[in-house]
């Protein structure tokens, strides 16, 4: 095994990790607030991909991809907020039932996409400036993958700034730390929930645009990433952004490095094994909030 | 004996009808009924695990698959000579029988395998999880990943698992022809007997002290701990019993359907098992049977008539089952009845039952 191959795999690991970050951030944020997981999150990625396809049909050219991101962010965000208002908010305090109800939504969205766009999938033409590769040493790094990493870093930075610097961010952090106290202080907890759910869905929409650069957009495109994104949330620990990022990088690297020795399916086995073993040492994930409160269960 | 409760009469009549089904139904419908009764074993496992234990597993397909594949391996080996290989292995260029196939030539080993392999894997996995107090949503998501990994692994190992097509095309079981009408009826009655046995065994288990502690761990793990109990072993036993039931369910389904494939064990079939239970009534054993039969007959009818419609209907079922009818069909007909305490051996329950009636 030569060094170039190893660095190539590490690069792949980070590149996959950045997709998981985009897919898992929204899940982690609303899990931190509401302790619920949206099983339809993968289909929100899918909606983002289809919105990218539609936008680039109307706005071709080198900058179409940025317009697509904006459209996907807003479209997916509205879809998420609608889902929260119509279904998820009715089921708070019943996290397992939320899993099942949102799974139902995901089935409906998948079949809807199949009826509207067809089962075979459509492809998004990436702008020309994403076609090439940048060669560092002997290692060609595909521009599209570098772009995905840049998008993930930009989204992380933007979210961190938003949560740290704005008044809405302050409210979000307050509800995240102590829901009851925040509510007692007059924070409209329900609005914060809906806002974060929408914001997380918007981020997933951007993730969907990025997925559209990598392959054809099919009704199942979200499903292929979402189960691993769920694992990232579990590994990251109670809705922490830093935890989610670290967990995504760990899972991406374990998966990419395992593929040096075994095939893709065994790499998945090893990744799951890694998660189960990691939780033996840190059952609450990478970032655990220490408190004297009892476990929620 | 004349003032038997309505439920006993209804249940007895349903059982009688089920026993007589081979003379009442066409061969096709009987085969469907047999399949779905086999699936109801999985559903009853989930009633124990999810309804009574509060543990949602989205990975029951793994145990279903283990049972189904182990039996199918035996069926593929049945009647082959010493050096011969199952047909699909020859096509994939496999030259020697893998070591983990060899023991399942023996029917007794196969039956033990169908029971013990899911039990062992279920116990080991759930002990790792529950001892670190991983439950709720975390547990559900990890079991879902387990189902995904299991199905992917099966698909990728074309040469030894039959890959995407799974294991199919077998005709003999211990010298009996599986296509013979008498044999199919026998398998149907065996399935029915297993369902009845599982029903009464689980009823006994849930009305025992174990059942009470399992429900207590669902409703308040912390309170249970404060009272000096460790909830972990109860949850591990519940998960393992459900795993065994699901394994048997997979094996019986394979006998009826004549095929086991990754499409029956992955993420989607695993979560579909949960909807049977949610529709039927998650805390009722009868609900598991009713839900498995109803949803699957509906699926059969709708998806042959209007294939596109089925996924919309299923999606809607998921949403309605948790929002509008959280108690399920059986729950809608039942009152606030919970499990009756066992008559013997539980003084507290007897005392409470006495107070409630007086």
């Amino acid at each position: 095994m030569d060094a170039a191959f190893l660095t190539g795999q590490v690069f792949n690991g980070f590149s996959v990790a950045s997709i998981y970050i985009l897919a898992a951030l929204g899940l982690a944020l609303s899990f931190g607030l509401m302790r619920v997981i949206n099983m339809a999150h993968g289909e929100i990625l899918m909606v983002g991909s289809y919105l990218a396809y539609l936008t680039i049909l109307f706005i071709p050219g080198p900058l179409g991809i940025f317009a697509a991101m904006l459209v996907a962010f807003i479209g997916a965000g509205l879809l998420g907020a609608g889902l929260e208002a119509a279904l998820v908010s009715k089921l708070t305090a019943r996290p397992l039932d939320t899993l099942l109800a949102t799974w139902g939504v995901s089935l409906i969205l998948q079949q809807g996409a199949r009826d509207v766009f067809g089962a075979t999938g459509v492809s998004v033409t990436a702008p020309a400036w994403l076609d090439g590769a940048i060669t560092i040493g002997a290692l060609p790094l595909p521009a599209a993958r570098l772009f995905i990493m840049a998008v993930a870093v930009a989204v992380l930075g933007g979210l961190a700034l938003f949560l740290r610097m704005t008044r809405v961010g302050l409210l979000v952090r307050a509800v995240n730390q102590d829901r009851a106290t925040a509510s007692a202080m007059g924070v409209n907890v329900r609005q914060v929930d809906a806002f974060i759910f929408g914001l997380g869905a918007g981020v997933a929409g951007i993730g969907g645009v990025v997925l559209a650069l990598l392959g054809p957009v099919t009704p199942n495109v979200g499903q292929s990433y979402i189960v691993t994104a769920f694992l990232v949330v579990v590994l990251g620990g109670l809705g922490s952004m830093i935890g989610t990022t670290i967990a995504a990088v760990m899972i991406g690297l374990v998966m990419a490095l395992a593929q040096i020795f075994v095939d893709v399916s065994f790499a998945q086995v090893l990744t799951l094994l890694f998660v189960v073993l990691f939780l033996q040492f840190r059952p609450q994930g990478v970032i655990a909030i220490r408190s004297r409160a009892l476990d929620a269960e | 004996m004349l003032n038997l409760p309505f439920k006993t009469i209804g249940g007895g009549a349903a059982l009688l009808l089920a026993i007589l089904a081979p003379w009442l139904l066409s061969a096709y419908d009987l085969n469907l009924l047999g399949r779905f009764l086999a699936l109801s074993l999985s559903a009853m496992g989930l009633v124990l695990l999810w309804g009574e234990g509060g543990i949602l597993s989205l990975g029951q397909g793994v145990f279903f698959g283990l049972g189904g594949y182990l039996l199918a391996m035996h069926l593929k080996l049945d009647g082959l000579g010493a050096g011969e290989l199952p047909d699909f292995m020859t096509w994939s260029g496999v030259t020697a029988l893998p070591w983990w196939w060899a023991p399942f030539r023996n029917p007794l080993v196969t039956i033990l395998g169908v029971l013990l392999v899911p039990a062992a894997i279920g116990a080991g996995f759930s002990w790792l999880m529950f001892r670190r107090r991983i439950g709720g949503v975390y547990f559900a998501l990890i079991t879902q990943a387990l189902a995904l990994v299991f199905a992917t692994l099966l698909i990728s190992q074309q040469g030894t698992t039959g890959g995407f097509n799974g294991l199919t095309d077998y005709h003999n079981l211990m010298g009996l022809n599986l296509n013979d009408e008498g044999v199919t009826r026998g398998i149907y009655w065996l399935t029915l007997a297993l369902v009845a046995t599982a029903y009464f065994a689980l009823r006994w288990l849930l009305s025992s002290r174990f059942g009470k502690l399992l429900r207590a761990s669902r409703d308040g793990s912390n309170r249970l701990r404060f009272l000096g109990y460790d909830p972990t072993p109860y949850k591990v036993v519940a998960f393992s019993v459900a795993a065994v039931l699901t394994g048997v369910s997979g094996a019986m389904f394979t006998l009826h359907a004549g095929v086991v494939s990754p499409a029956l064990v992955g993420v989607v079939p695993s979560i579909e098992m949960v909807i049977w239970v949610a529709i039927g009534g998650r805390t009722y054993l009868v609900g598991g049977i009713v839900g498995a039969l109803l949803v699957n007959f509906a699926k059969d009818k709708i998806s042959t008539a209007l294939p596109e419609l089925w996924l919309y209907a299923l999606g809607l079922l998921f949403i309605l089952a948790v929002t509008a009818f959280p108690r399920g069909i059986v729950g809608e007909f039942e009152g606030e009845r919970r499990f009756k305490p066992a008559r013997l051996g539980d003084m507290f329950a007897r005392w409470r039952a006495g107070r409630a009636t007086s």
Side-chain angles (χ1 to χ4, degrees), chain A residues 23-46:
Chain A
L25 263 181
L27 287 169
L29 285 174
S30 38
F31 187 70
L33 283 186
M34 298 185 261
R35 301 287 182 274
V36 298
I37 287 285
N38 171 18
M39 293 289 246
H41 203 70
E43 279 55 50
I44 293 181
L45 284 171
M46 179 240 345

Side-chain angles (χ1 to χ4, degrees), chain A residues 31 37 94-95 97 100-101 103-104 111-112 114-115 230 238 265-266 268-269 272 279-280 283 295 297, chain B residues 128 131-133 137-138 140 142 144 146 149 152 156-157 221-222 225 235 271 282 311-312 315 318-319 322:
Chain A
F31 187 70
I37 287 285
R94 283 157 66 197
D97 284 358
L100 298 177
W103 177 265
Q111 186 59 36
R114 214 166 283 138
D115 287 345
F230 292 148
L238 280 187
S265 57
F266 269 108
Q268 279 191 359
V269 177
L272 181 62
L279 291 176
Q280 296 303 303
D295 297 348
E297 59 164 325
Chain B
L128 280 179
R131 91 189 178 96
R132 299 305 306 194
R133 300 191 187 178
V137 173
Y138 277 20
I142 293 175
Q144 184 173 56
L146 196 65
V149 163
T152 319
S156 70
Q157 306 302 310
S221 278
N222 287 323
R225 285 194 190 97
K235 294 183 177 177
I271 201 167
R282 64 184 80 167
L311 277 175
Y312 288 122
F318 270 99
I319 297 171
V322 299

Side-chain angles (χ1 to χ4, degrees), chain B residues 15-61:
Chain B
L15 187 62
L16 196 67
L17 272 181
I19 293 172
L20 298 177
W23 292 284
L24 303 175
L25 295 177
S26 69
Y28 176 78
D29 283 331
L30 184 71
N31 180 274
L32 284 188
L33 184 62
R35 284 184 201 197
F36 301 159
L37 278 175
L39 295 179
S40 73
L41 286 166
S42 297
M44 281 193 279
L46 271 171
V47 170
L48 169 75
L49 189 61
W50 178 44
E52 297 294 315
I55 306 159
L56 179 60
S57 164
L58 302 180
Q60 292 304 92

Side-chain angles (χ1 to χ4, degrees), chain A residues 131-150:
Chain A
D131 277 344
I134 296 164
T135 311
I136 296 173
L139 200 66
L141 304 177
R145 294 204 164 252
L146 284 172
F147 177 71
I148 292 170
M149 288 183 186

Side-chain angles (χ1 to χ4, degrees), chain A residues 17 35 41 45 52 54-55 76 98 101 115 122-123 125 141 148 164 204-205 209 223 232 234 254 263 297:
Chain A
R35 301 287 182 274
H41 203 70
L45 284 171
L54 292 177
T55 315
T98 311
D115 287 345
V122 295
S123 58
T125 0
L141 304 177
I148 292 170
R164 286 281 148 203
V209 178
Q223 285 297 310
V232 167
V234 170
V254 168
D263 66 6
E297 59 164 325

